[in-house]
Amino acid sequence: DTEVTQTPKHLVMGMTNKKSLKCEQHMGHRAMYWYKQKAKKPPELMFVYSYEKLSINESVPSRFSPECPNSSLLNLHLHALQPEDSALYLCASSPLSSGGRAVYEQYFGPGTRLTVT
Amino acid sequence: SQELEQSPQSLIVQEGKNLTINCTSSKTLYGLYWYKQKYGEGLIFLMMLQKGGEEKSHEKITAKLDEKKQQSSLHITASQPSHAGIYLCGADRSGTASKLTFGTGTRLQVTL
């Protein structure tokens, strides 16, 4: 199974709502990632989890709150978003070598298209 | 300016023709990844290049890495409609492959 799944596929939320995006992988990967992709732009890294611990936060606003409850799941909690946060949110995972350094390719999920109204 | 520049930005080729997409980095490359994306969907991994001079092929797609020039090329032979999509190069900035920076993308259309 080389699949990363994301739910929901589409999400429309108001600026006062709280919602969560979910990502799941069963490949035994110990690194998981959140990316944000605006229309006609490349994906931009938001967060990296290594061994279920947050290892990289690319100065993302606190209205985005990641969570990694176990090695297979990654959540992104959303609160008080702005219309400019509307984008495709991509989750990815990759193996980590025994030294904890990721030297493998990242596998991406299909994304959640988020619209903030 | 972008750290990773891809050229061309878009490409329309006739089915059966060959094409090349280039990716040039303004910073040191520790590794170079090629992905393909259909509009509004996730990224599909194509190839990873880690050493200067490395060349990899998969089906009709070949990628090369010129470490000295900090450049990679992706070549598609005898293009097919299934090759259509957006091709993204990704650079490993940290040596750990945890921090990937993506290029500007090349949109490929293949006409019949």
Side-chain angles (χ1 to χ4, degrees):
Chain A
D1 183 7
T2 57
E3 193 179 20
V4 176
T5 58
Q6 289 187 243
T7 54
K9 287 194 76 171
H10 301 275
L11 179 63
V12 179
M13 61 186 290
M15 289 190 282
T16 57
N17 292 159
K18 283 186 182 180
K19 295 286 184 184
S20 297
L21 309 185
K22 294 184 186 300
C23 173
E24 192 167 4
Q25 57 89 13
H26 295 287
M27 294 178 277
H29 292 169
R30 302 307 295 274
M32 295 187 78
Y33 313 79
W34 279 116
Y35 288 85
K36 174 182 177 179
Q37 186 177 26
K38 300 283 278 183
K40 298 188 178 181
K41 297 287 186 185
E44 293 179 345
L45 182 66
M46 299 174 73
F47 303 103
V48 181
Y49 273 82
S50 302
Y51 297 110
E52 295 88 68
K53 287 188 173 17
L54 184 65
S55 56
I56 295 174
N57 176 343
E58 291 285 89
S59 302
V60 179
S62 59
R63 57 185 185 269
F64 294 91
S65 175
E67 178 197 21
C68 191
N70 60 55
S71 59
S72 299
L73 289 174
L74 185 66
N75 298 320
L76 186 63
H77 303 297
L78 314 171
H79 174 55
L81 294 194
Q82 304 296 310
E84 59 264 28
D85 296 322
S86 298
L88 181 68
Y89 287 85
L90 294 162
C91 171
S93 71
S94 72
L96 279 169
S97 67
S98 58
R101 287 175 158 256
V103 291
Y104 303 99
E105 65 270 21
Q106 295 180 20
Y107 292 81
F108 282 78
T112 292
R113 182 156 299 282
L114 174 68
T115 303
V116 182
T117 60
Chain B
S1 63
Q2 292 284 343
E3 287 184 13
L4 277 178
E5 289 283 349
Q6 286 184 234
S7 61
Q9 277 191 322
S10 64
L11 197 51
I12 302 173
V13 299
Q14 196 173 23
E15 184 179 5
K17 298 293 186 186
N18 303 336
L19 64 108
T20 299
I21 298 169
N22 294 302
C23 173
T24 303
S25 174
S26 60
K27 298 186 178 182
T28 302
L29 286 172
Y30 292 97
L32 197 289
Y33 299 75
W34 283 100
Y35 284 87
K36 178 186 171 186
Q37 185 178 29
K38 294 277 192 183
Y39 176 73
E41 298 181 10
L43 279 64
I44 299 167
F45 172 73
L46 297 175
M47 268 168 279
M48 174 175 68
L49 304 165
Q50 287 191 294
K51 300 173 188 174
E54 190 171 12
E55 179 174 324
K56 288 187 178 177
S57 293
H58 177 66
E59 297 180 344
K60 295 185 178 180
I61 301 176
T62 300
K64 300 178 188 179
L65 178 63
D66 185 331
E67 209 169 46
K68 286 181 182 175
K69 291 183 180 178
Q70 296 183 165
Q71 197 172 64
S72 178
S73 62
L74 186 85
H75 184 78
I76 298 176
T77 304
S79 58
Q80 300 169 348
S82 60
H83 288 128
I86 301 166
Y87 288 81
L88 291 157
C89 62
D92 172 13
R93 290 277 171 248
S94 62
T96 68
S98 289
K99 291 189 72 167
L100 286 189
T101 303
F102 285 94
T104 47
T106 296
R107 187 177 295 268
L108 172 64
Q109 294 180 58
V110 180
T111 61
L112 298 173

